[in-house]
Amino acid sequence: MNYTAPRGTRDILPTESAVWQWIENQTIELCQKYGFHEIRTPIFEQTDLFQRAVGEATDIVSKEMYTFSDRGERSLTLRPEGTASIVRAYLQHQLAATEKISRLLYRGPMFRYERPQAGRYRQFYQLGFEILGAASALVDAEIISMGIDLLAKLGITDLTVSINSVGCDVCRPVIREQLRGFLQESLPQLCDDCRYRFEKNPLRILDCKNKTCQNYFSGLPSSTKILCQSCGEHFSSLITYLDLLKVNYAVDDFLVRGLDYYTKTVFEIRSNQLGAQNAICGGGRYDNLVHELGGQPTPAFGFAIGMDRLYMVLEQLNHIPTIKTDIIDFYFMTMGEKERQWACKIMHDLRNNGLSCDINYDIASIKTLFRDAERKKALFAIIIGEDELDKQAISVKNMKTREQYNIHAENMIIELIKLRKEINQVPI
Ligand code: HAM
């Protein structure tokens, strides 16, 4: 029988996984400077949470959710995104009572039943950031700039940053009506999706990728020109802060995002290295969501990075770093059972001192063992044969310089650690 990972999912094998860990560590290090703390939430939630938060008329809710009933007949959904769960946890644990502003970071798999293609999966991974409790446009600008700094830290600078404002409850109806008025006449020429969105969610029409439809969009009224006073001021304040932070952005009237909770600022960061699925980050402000899910009115802003796409860009740029886990410090070559027992104790002590070790579990010629040590990129080979056992002294060989040392059992661990520290040029 042949099993493979389900369509739209994949295995992240050890070499790639080590790079993901490195990305996550770099991210956490930078985010701590902005005061973020990690939160972990379940990967499934009540279906209703996503229906309310993301919006019934969105593609995510209407076509892409993995929804099932559990044995207790509860409708549950594998999370298609993280923001709804974070707001649910924020309310459930009354985080607002302990901190006026919560800065939360999360990571993990998300699930959407989309048509798989390069950079688009049904199980994909996000690193997300949410700030709850702050209304200032400085937050929007700071966090957009943090996203760019993070990508730069990983070596990705060839980016397009798009921003827009989708307004609020006051001006969104006006934006919608202007859009409807503009498209009314061309409606019969638009695709089925656009016609459905015209009724349910006209702003989302702007996201249509159909070339024929796009022909009818030129000359559309720009939403940033129709904003109410409060949204207009927020948008110009955002621009002032982005300029101060020297962020290179473009205002994109067509940027509307695929989730209904956004108010005011929306943004995306795209890589010029990727094809059709080129958005690495997306997010925006969602000032109504906490209230809609049962809390006090609380302004909020956030975004998520798509890890799968981020990795693809690093690969394209040849920026995949060499990670220490590719290398082992000591490779033990043992010639018999007694020798292996001694090696077993030494390895245990070395590992407890933070060093990596490996050993031959089967009998093999010394030539084969050296080949194995080379393949595993061992820094030192430790040879333990009958002679070494008799003299209670191991032979250690530097795999690069081929220098050889004899180290006696007494002070052995200290001597081995010293030896390893002397060759510090290896990537960590
Ligand atoms: P989103 O734009 O749907 O936003 O997803 C964020 C990022 O996740 C995208 O820019 C992309 O890199 C990645 N992504 C999305 N779908 C897929 C897929 N099928 N395969 C691979 N990668 C994908 C959100 O999810 C919002 N919750 C972001 C947010 C946080 N807004 C406010 N706070």
Side-chain angles (χ1 to χ4, degrees), residues 5 21 37 46 54 56 69 73 84 128 153 202 208 235 238 244 251-252 260 264 295 314 323 355-356 359 386 395:
Q21 275 176 25
H37 295 287
Q46 278 170 250
V54 178
E56 298 269 10
S69 290
E73 300 298 314
K153 192 172 170 176
C208 183
F235 196 63
L238 167 69
L244 274 172
V251 178
D252 177 354
D260 278 356
K264 297 188 172 133
L314 288 176
I323 309 284
L355 296 169
S356 55
I359 188 171
E386 240 176 76
S395 307

Side-chain angles (χ1 to χ4, degrees), residues 19 57 69 93 140 205 215 283 305 317 319 369 388:
V19 178
S69 290
H93 304 287
D140 311 21
I205 292 183
N215 288 334
I305 301 178
L317 292 170
H319 278 348
L369 293 179
E388 282 81 11

Side-chain angles (χ1 to χ4, degrees), residues 21-33:
Q21 275 176 25
W22 171 77
I23 295 171
E24 288 174 358
N25 293 341
Q26 297 280 310
T27 309
I28 289 167
E29 203 178 279
L30 179 72
C31 294
Q32 278 165 348
K33 299 200 174 85

